[in-house]
Amino acid sequence: MASAKSGATSGPKPGPRYAQVSDTLQRRIESGTYPVGALLPTELDLCQEFGISRHTVREALRRLAEAGFVQRRQGSGSQVISASPKGGYVHAMRSLNELFQYAADTHLRVDRIFEGAPPAPIDAVLGDQAGQNWVILQGLRLDAAGRQPICWSTVLVNQVFAGIVPDFATLTGAIYRLIEDRYGVLVDRVEQDIRAMPISAEAAAELGVSRRIWAVQVVRRYLDNEGRVMLVSVNDHPGDRFSYSMQLQKEGWGRS
Amino acid sequence: MASAKSGATSGPKPGPRYAQVSDTLQRRIESGTYPVGALLPTELDLCQEFGISRHTVREALRRLAEAGFVQRRQGSGSQVISASPKGGYVHAMRSLNELFQYAADTHLRVDRIFEGAPPAPIDAVLGDQAGQNWVILQGLRLDAAGRQPICWSTVLVNQVFAGIVPDFATLTGAIYRLIEDRYGVLVDRVEQDIRAMPISAEAAAELGVSRRIWAVQVVRRYLDNEGRVMLVSVNDHPGDRFSYSMQLQKEGWGRS
DNA sequence: ATTGAAAATTTGTCCGGACATATTTATACA
DNA sequence: TGTATAAATATGTCCGGACAAATTTTCAAT
């Protein structure tokens, strides 16, 4: 195995040893030598085959695990779980504000607060969460300085978190933050749907736009780590002012 | 420091030693003991302070680096780059098909191919890329079985990749794949904008919908790893059939 | 004061070993 | 045959040491 050490032109030594071993193993996985589902040779076996220490083998295996090729289990071994790097594209955001895409200095002017079932048009788009009772807020989200309305919002708060209602008076940030701070439950997942539809009479009136304008409705469901719906917000934007941008970045693990 | 080893009830030993050290250092970073920009104590110093081997210190530092707290540089040290875990929310997709959100078995029926400047309404939404010449395709994206049109698409191909034009006849997958396969350049980044607007006469006619329906226009720019625009696609969807869903997952690094 | 080479510092790579812990396999017992 | 126990196996944690490579600091020469 260990050959061609003489000053040849083909230098098979790019980078540290663990990277070479990792690349070799990756090629074997991609080529099917180690099929998906099978176990890799044990660390000791790999030590022998490559003539390296266990520490170096473990560094190589760690890389394969990080790249999504293998899963390691103490006492069992390293199982091949994928023949291709986990790659893909990600749209990452540092905070949920980047999801909303309106400036942080906007604020929600709450017009109504009540408890019960949501209006029929709202309930219709809830899917799994339809038919429940909520603490419901409705109001206009406004630009900080000017009076430019951004959207007409209906916010459905899970009744478990009804205790935040008194805090709406001093509402500065987003509502989900109120729940996070007061109840200590973190938002673990957000589902966002974007639809277009003829604007409702109510939204058109509140936003001060013609009913010939269409609305873009953005529905966001906030779930905690147990899958419980903490909050649903339904936001009707005037179509002519709506725009949503996202950037996807490739996330790859090449060989080396 | 190392005290309370007697069989006390308060067990300060949850998990391996490197995790404990990593947590301790993380707390110091979050509390400002090690301010952002400063260098952490050297590995040898930490070995002494905690009475552990360098291997264990390095495992702890590795975790801090993965969580985005520190950046390590050979010969220099470990610099604090953030006082909070890199966290955030990510919208991950395994392939770009999940971005498009129409089934893979749809296909684009190309009606026109020409070279030059795009029509004015298209050029207007291009931003930085306005005013260029492209290889331009226009056509209807259709459902696989039925004749249900999904959107009216205008695809602008960078003239550098004009060589793919003959392959449009056998077009099965997405156009960006054609470029990737033939030219070996990978899509590194995609920018997607979603807007709503009154539908154009052309799109309404092609899609067979009323002009009172609004269009949702989805613009996607495909860039390679040098920031070069490979492809821009402008897709006009009938608003009443458009829906876009995304799921964000929290990506956190708690202590321990 | 500026430059350039040498020395010290610090992290990266790699080796060896030991024991702990989780899993699997083999064995003895009912 | 089925089950509980013991042994073997494999990865996880942790220790010690050595040298390499990158960076920073020191110091001498101009």
Side-chain angles (χ1 to χ4, degrees):
Chain A
M1 281 296 170
S3 61
K5 195 79 74 64
S6 48
T9 54
S10 66
K13 304 249 307 175
R17 197 80 178 85
Y18 64 79
Q20 301 173 27
V21 174
S22 170
D23 289 356
T24 299
L25 295 176
Q26 179 173 338
R27 271 189 291 269
R28 290 182 187 172
I29 291 171
E30 287 173 336
S31 71
T33 308
Y34 301 140
V36 172
L39 291 174
L40 249 52
T42 70
E43 296 179 353
L44 264 352
D45 287 345
L46 294 171
C47 290
Q48 280 209 322
E49 176 185 349
F50 293 99
I52 57 183
S53 78
R54 187 163 162 237
H55 175 77
T56 306
V57 166
R58 285 177 62 76
E59 192 62 40
L61 291 175
R62 183 202 291 264
R63 286 165 59 104
L64 291 180
E66 274 176 6
F69 284 104
V70 304
Q71 187 174 37
R72 318 198 61 199
R73 262 195 334 153
Q74 182 174 165
S76 175
S78 299
Q79 189 180 27
V80 180
I81 58 174
S82 169
S84 58
K86 83 174 166 195
Y89 292 80
V90 291
H91 175 207
M93 25 200 120
R94 303 250 292 278
S95 95
L96 285 179
N97 284 335
E98 296 183 34
L99 173 69
F100 308 151
Q101 297 202 359
Y102 35 70
D105 55 359
T106 65
H107 67 283
L108 183 65
R109 194 191 67 198
V110 178
D111 289 354
R112 280 195 285 278
I113 301 183
F114 61 97
E115 201 159 343
I122 301 286
D123 203 52
V125 299
L126 285 185
D128 294 343
Q129 288 81 41
Q132 296 183 16
N133 281 346
W134 308 80
V135 178
I136 300 177
L137 286 80
Q138 281 190 310
L140 216 51
R141 180 165 293 276
L142 294 167
D143 192 337
R147 295 267 69 83
Q148 176 83 303
I150 296 169
C151 62
W152 170 247
S153 294
T154 303
V155 181
L156 314 179
V157 181
N158 189 320
Q159 289 185 309
V160 173
F161 306 115
I164 62 165
V165 171
D167 297 337
F168 285 145
T170 61
L171 182 59
T172 57
I175 299 180
Y176 78 90
R177 291 297 298 273
L178 241 54
I179 300 180
E180 285 191 336
D181 292 345
R182 188 179 173 101
Y183 289 91
V185 270
L186 293 178
V187 174
D188 183 64
R189 196 154 56 90
V190 181
E191 300 172 358
Q192 175 170 274
D193 291 348
I194 301 175
R195 279 190 184 75
M197 55 181 62
I199 199 165
S200 69
E202 181 179 39
E206 296 281 356
L207 291 166
V209 299
S210 157
R211 291 213 62 187
R212 303 182 51 180
I213 297 288
W214 273 41
V216 176
Q217 187 178 70
V218 180
V219 179
R220 284 187 283 265
R221 297 179 196 78
Y222 300 72
L223 315 180
D224 66 11
N225 55 11
E226 290 164 6
R228 187 173 44 165
V229 178
M230 301 163 59
L231 180 72
V232 179
S233 87
V234 181
N235 306 278
D236 286 337
H237 294 253
D240 56 344
R241 289 205 289 268
F242 178 84
S243 157
Y244 195 86
S245 302
M246 48 197 288
Q247 288 210 355
L248 301 209
Q249 182 71 42
K250 186 179 199 85
E251 220 185 28
W253 268 274
R255 249 190 312 270
S256 121
Chain B
M1 281 300 168
S3 61
K5 195 77 74 63
S6 49
T9 52
S10 66
K13 306 244 311 175
R17 200 77 229 288
Y18 64 78
Q20 300 171 28
V21 173
S22 170
D23 290 356
T24 298
L25 296 176
Q26 180 172 338
R27 271 187 293 269
R28 290 182 188 171
I29 292 172
E30 287 174 334
S31 70
T33 308
Y34 301 142
V36 172
L39 290 175
L40 250 51
T42 70
E43 296 179 353
L44 264 350
D45 287 344
L46 294 172
C47 290
Q48 279 207 321
E49 177 187 348
F50 292 99
I52 57 183
S53 77
R54 189 166 160 234
H55 175 76
T56 306
V57 166
R58 285 177 62 77
E59 191 62 40
L61 290 175
R62 183 202 291 263
R63 285 165 60 104
L64 291 179
E66 275 177 4
F69 284 103
V70 304
Q71 186 175 38
R72 318 196 62 199
R73 261 196 336 153
Q74 185 175 159
S76 174
S78 299
Q79 188 180 28
V80 180
I81 57 175
S82 168
S84 57
K86 84 172 165 196
Y89 292 80
V90 291
H91 176 205
M93 23 199 123
R94 302 251 292 278
S95 94
L96 284 179
N97 284 334
E98 297 182 33
L99 173 69
F100 308 150
Q101 298 201 0
Y102 33 70
D105 56 359
T106 66
H107 68 282
L108 182 66
R109 195 192 63 197
V110 179
D111 289 355
R112 279 195 286 278
I113 302 183
F114 61 97
E115 203 159 343
I122 301 287
D123 203 50
V125 299
L126 285 185
D128 293 344
Q129 287 81 43
Q132 296 183 15
N133 280 346
W134 307 82
V135 177
I136 300 176
L137 287 79
Q138 281 191 310
L140 218 50
R141 181 164 293 275
L142 294 166
D143 190 341
R147 296 266 70 82
Q148 176 83 305
I150 296 169
C151 63
W152 170 247
S153 296
T154 303
V155 181
L156 314 179
V157 180
N158 189 322
Q159 290 185 308
V160 173
F161 306 115
I164 62 166
V165 171
D167 298 337
F168 285 144
T170 61
L171 182 58
T172 57
I175 297 178
Y176 78 90
R177 291 296 300 274
L178 238 55
I179 299 179
E180 285 192 337
D181 292 346
R182 189 179 172 101
Y183 288 92
V185 270
L186 293 177
V187 175
D188 184 63
R189 195 155 57 89
V190 181
E191 300 172 359
Q192 176 171 272
D193 291 349
I194 301 176
R195 278 191 185 74
M197 56 181 60
I199 197 165
S200 68
E202 181 180 37
E206 295 282 355
L207 292 165
V209 297
S210 156
R211 288 213 65 186
R212 304 182 51 179
I213 298 288
W214 273 41
V216 176
Q217 186 178 72
V218 180
V219 179
R220 283 188 284 265
R221 296 179 198 76
Y222 300 72
L223 315 181
D224 66 11
N225 56 12
E226 290 164 5
R228 188 174 44 166
V229 177
M230 301 163 59
L231 181 73
V232 178
S233 86
V234 180
N235 306 277
D236 286 337
H237 295 253
D240 56 343
R241 289 205 289 269
F242 177 82
S243 156
Y244 195 85
S245 302
M246 48 197 287
Q247 289 209 356
L248 301 212
Q249 182 73 39
K250 186 178 197 84
E251 218 184 30
W253 268 273
R255 249 189 311 273
S256 119

